[in-house]
Amino acid sequence: MGELVVIKTTRAGELCNLVTFKRSTSDHMNSAMLSSSCPQSHCLASKQGNAIHKLHSERAYGSHSSRVPMAASSSEGSNGRIPHVLTVAGSDSGAGAGIQADLKACAALGVYCSTVITAVTAQNTVGVQGVNIVPEEFVAEQLKSVLSDMQVGVVKTGMLPSIGAVKVLLQCIKEFPIQALIVDPVMVSTSGDVLAGSSVLPIFREELLPMADLVTPNIKEASILLGGMVLETVADMRRAAKSIYDMGPRNVLVKGGDLPDSLDAVDVFFDGEHLHELSSRRINTWNTHGTGCTLASGIAAELAKGLPMLSAIKISKRFVETALDYGKDIFIGCGPQGPFDHLLKLKNTLRRLGAHRLFSPADLFLYAVTDSGMNKKWGRSINDAVRAAVEGGATIVQLREKNMETRDFLEAAQECVPLCRSYGVPLLINDRVDIALACDADGVHVGQSDMPLSVVRSLLGPEKIIGVSCKNPEQAYQAWIDGADYIGCGGVFPTNTKANNQTIGLDGLKAVCLASKLPVVAIGGINMSNAGSVMEIDAPNLAGVAVVSTLFDTECVSSTTQKLHAALKAAAPRT
Ligand SMILES: Cc1ncc(COP(=O)(O)OP(=O)(O)O)c(N)n1
Ligand SMILES: Cc1nc(C(=O)O)sc1CCOP(=O)(O)O
Ligand SMILES: [Mg+2]
């Protein structure tokens, strides 16, 4: 026989377990607790009116207990697997923190997120009005449902309000191996309400932290974990990071956002060998509720994509900083601490979806970048060079004229725009947003030290194509956040065309591809004999190659372009 779930509300801080629940073959569950419709035959729940009738069967669980730990899943591979984070945390009715923040952060970063709810809180921007702890048996059941069926990469924990919840979590991750465990030791809410009492401290210290790949306490949580140690300076945070490391986690990130009197938000990361101080701009806003959950989920998401720990932390910090900045003036709720806006990128995309844009990643297949020195050497005008490249099969053109007078550059660009348009090939201008505006080019390409992307976008408007140069995953991630259309990534090989250019190799190119959903074009030293190896790196968003000297430091631009096009086609026959 089943027993009804009894849910009573409690005031914040009273963390006694008031929910009674017994398993049986026909429990009637609160409909909010189980998914209501599922086409799969092994689904545990089927809807019957308002109640959900549970088809309880051990056979309903998959059996992945014998599987080996997953390799880092980099992005949607040909097997259709996508990076997956499981969050084990409390629900926040105000949706700024907890499960809701985790879902939004993972969605914003392009990672699938499943959820195990450990507690249901009634909270808003004023504070926490009530907490209901989910019984540990039901936490276990949720864990088993997800872990036995889905390929979870990273588990991230938030509110773990009882010893029992920690125990069942530890049991499950022993049974179902995962790629990494991130522990955000949530104990006190931003409003000061207790979310996990001191009774959980021993099991946190003795059993949970030793299993963690990363633990992310804020100042208060670090102090609690360390028995009341006072943390007032970055030096204190460094000491705290080392002491927490001694409890067993593989990495520690002590978050300094609450440290008083600092201009920057400095976090201290300790990997057992090196201490890193990671600072980010302190954003002046009240809308900070949920930053801790978001940061930890962001790290989990990036780890699930296959990034190393430090890169994942840096990217997640940048995401939080950008989201805080983006949402600094939004107004949700009347309390002292509002939530911020995780889905800023989605808004950028929606804003631009409304606009008429013709750019497609396929345009980047063979990207011809001009050089006036080379054209002069071979006695041809820019216009002739561009025409020959387009006739030979270039799919996009960039005018990169570093030493030209503005007036001459503009005149050349004004000739090239109609020429390229007549071939249906986009024409971009390197660096010079003013020239692009003046000749109505299709877009610009900017580097890391050129005009910032956000300013370029506001000057050019939503329809124009903006490419940005990136040499590492952090820059690639930021380009995506900032709303770039593509990434130019190099120097893949050494080049004589650009002085003192850093060479990042095919591995560097792949790391940039994996860090972003944007299409990527490879640049730097690409020629007839190595173009194939570039196209063959295993990255679905590698869209093509950008080339200067191979196309333009040659007598016959058109036939060289044709040959390179054929070489690319041979290496990437499906494009
Ligand atoms: C397609 C493409 N990728 C990268 C670059 C390099 O741009 P940037 O870093 O701004 O360097 P300069 O070209 O300005 O020297 C590019 N131009 N095109
Ligand atoms: C313009 C440019 N940008 C690079 C980068 O690494 O971002 S490499 C480069 C020069 C590419 O010229 P070539 O094809 O002659 O090697
Ligand atoms: Mg530039």
Side-chain angles (χ1 to χ4, degrees):
M1 282 295 293
E3 232 175 66
L4 278 181
V5 178
V6 179
I7 299 180
K8 294 186 198 160
T9 46
T10 70
R11 294 297 306 166
E14 296 171 45
L15 294 177
C16 48
N17 184 347
L18 292 176
V19 184
T20 63
F21 168 59
K22 279 191 184 161
R23 298 219 209 161
S24 82
T25 51
S26 59
D27 292 332
H28 291 273
M29 302 292 296
N30 182 312
S31 61
M33 301 291 269
L34 283 175
S35 121
S36 61
S37 64
C38 174
Q40 288 166 313
S41 56
H42 63 260
C43 183
L44 291 176
S46 67
K47 205 172 183 180
Q48 289 191 343
N50 284 335
I52 290 175
H53 183 69
K54 192 168 153 220
L55 307 171
H56 197 95
S57 155
E58 284 307 315
R59 277 179 299 132
Y61 296 119
S63 175
H64 291 283
S65 53
S66 60
R67 74 182 178 197
V68 289
M70 277 172 45
S73 47
S74 52
S75 63
E76 285 135 78
S78 51
N79 61 5
R81 251 189 208 186
I82 67 165
H84 184 147
V85 169
L86 164 62
T87 171
V88 182
S91 158
D92 168 5
S93 54
I99 287 280
Q100 289 81 354
D102 299 340
L103 279 168
K104 286 186 274 185
C106 286
L109 295 170
V111 168
Y112 189 84
C113 182
S114 52
T115 58
V116 165
I117 299 181
T118 58
V120 181
T121 71
Q123 62 177 304
N124 55 22
T125 60
V126 179
V128 182
Q129 289 80 44
V131 177
N132 250 293
I133 295 176
V134 173
E136 68 201 50
E137 296 88 341
F138 200 67
V139 173
E141 193 156 357
Q142 296 174 73
L143 279 165
K144 205 169 167 189
S145 290
V146 175
L147 288 168
S148 67
D149 178 42
M150 299 174 163
Q151 284 75 32
V152 171
V154 179
V155 170
K156 174 255 160 190
T157 67
M159 181 178 174
L160 293 171
S162 66
I163 296 170
V166 181
K167 278 192 175 149
V168 296
L169 170 72
L170 290 171
Q171 180 55 39
C172 276
I173 55 181
K174 278 176 198 151
E175 196 177 333
F176 303 101
I178 51 164
Q179 182 189 325
L181 173 67
I182 310 297
V183 174
D184 183 19
V186 172
M187 291 179 214
V188 184
S189 75
T190 33
S191 54
D193 297 282
V194 175
L195 296 173
S198 55
S199 62
V200 298
L201 274 177
I203 194 164
F204 266 48
R205 291 191 188 116
E206 288 151 30
E207 295 186 46
L208 185 61
L209 296 194
M211 291 287 284
D213 292 278
L214 174 71
V215 56
T216 62
N218 60 25
I219 296 275
K220 267 186 225 155
E221 290 154 354
S223 169
I224 294 171
L225 284 172
L226 294 170
M229 172 181 169
V230 177
L231 277 82
E232 285 173 338
T233 62
V234 173
D236 294 338
M237 289 167 63
R238 294 163 74 98
R239 273 190 291 282
K242 284 186 166 171
S243 302
I244 294 171
Y245 180 83
D246 289 340
M247 294 176 184
R250 290 170 64 192
N251 298 277
V252 181
L253 181 70
V254 178
K255 298 172 294 187
D258 298 332
L259 209 61
D261 306 328
S262 64
L263 281 179
D264 283 347
V266 179
D267 297 343
V268 170
F269 174 63
F270 185 53
D271 59 12
E273 262 184 63
H274 304 289
L275 273 166
H276 304 257
E277 280 175 27
L278 308 171
S279 66
S280 40
R281 230 166 6 121
R282 192 175 282 284
I283 311 290
N284 194 10
T285 176
W286 296 108
N287 298 328
T288 58
H289 178 53
T291 44
C293 307
T294 304
L295 181 76
S297 291
I299 297 169
E302 296 304 322
L303 287 178
K305 289 178 194 170
L307 288 200
M309 187 63 78
L310 188 56
S311 298
I313 291 172
K314 285 183 182 170
I315 285 178
S316 185
K317 267 179 76 69
R318 189 78 74 90
F319 170 64
V320 171
E321 182 190 327
T322 313
L324 280 169
D325 194 28
Y326 189 87
K328 61 180 182 284
D329 299 320
I330 58 173
F331 189 77
I332 299 171
C334 306
Q337 206 164 27
F340 61 97
D341 193 348
H342 296 78
L343 299 176
L344 66 154
K345 172 65 193 170
L346 188 60
K347 288 196 183 122
N348 276 348
T349 307
L350 290 177
R351 176 174 57 79
R352 289 193 282 124
L353 275 180
H356 184 62
R357 304 180 79 246
L358 297 173
F359 176 67
S360 138
D363 293 334
L364 298 171
F365 187 62
L366 177 44
Y367 193 150
V369 181
T370 68
D371 178 295
S372 44
M374 291 175 199
N375 286 326
K376 220 177 261 167
K377 174 177 158 192
W378 290 96
R380 54 184 169 240
S381 68
I382 299 176
N383 194 280
D384 288 343
V386 167
R387 182 186 299 278
V390 170
E391 283 179 351
T395 54
I396 187 166
V397 173
Q398 179 190 134
L399 301 187
R400 180 175 178 271
E401 301 297 328
K402 292 289 189 185
N403 302 313
M404 247 176 144
E405 296 295 336
T406 298
R407 185 173 293 237
D408 295 338
F409 193 175
L410 178 60
E411 268 174 24
Q414 282 169 330
E415 281 181 29
C416 290
V417 166
L419 167 70
C420 286
R421 230 157 253 169
S422 70
Y423 285 89
V425 166
L427 178 87
L428 272 56
I429 307 292
N430 178 272
D431 295 348
R432 299 284 303 265
V433 180
D434 55 342
I435 302 266
L437 280 167
C439 71
D440 190 28
D442 297 301
V444 294
H445 185 94
V446 286
Q448 291 291 324
S449 50
D450 296 324
M451 191 181 282
L453 221 145
S454 55
V455 181
V456 181
R457 174 65 71 204
S458 64
L459 287 172
L460 289 190
E463 308 99 279
K464 297 294 184 186
I465 303 165
I466 304 179
V468 63
S469 304
C470 299
K471 291 195 184 296
N472 58 49
E474 287 84 20
Q475 291 172 355
Y477 170 74
Q478 191 62 37
W480 177 65
I481 286 284
D482 290 344
D485 293 290
Y486 75 87
I487 286 169
C489 176
V492 176
F493 303 113
T495 178
N496 293 323
T497 306
K498 188 172 161 73
N500 305 319
N501 194 45
Q502 184 197 344
T503 301
I504 60 166
L506 290 172
D507 289 344
L509 171 64
K510 189 160 177 184
V512 163
C513 289
L514 293 180
S516 175
K517 296 247 175 217
L518 291 176
V520 176
V521 63
I523 189 167
I526 295 170
N527 56 37
M528 226 51 96
S529 46
N530 62 24
S533 67
V534 174
M535 295 308 280
E536 279 160 7
I537 71 161
D538 184 21
N541 53 339
L542 194 266
V545 299
V547 184
V548 185
S549 52
T550 295
L551 296 190
F552 294 110
D553 199 3
T554 174
E555 189 168 7
C556 185
V557 173
S558 171
S559 65
T560 311
T561 312
Q562 261 177 13
K563 278 186 210 143
L564 186 57
H565 195 283
L568 294 173
K569 269 268 179 229
R574 278 174 294 122
T575 47

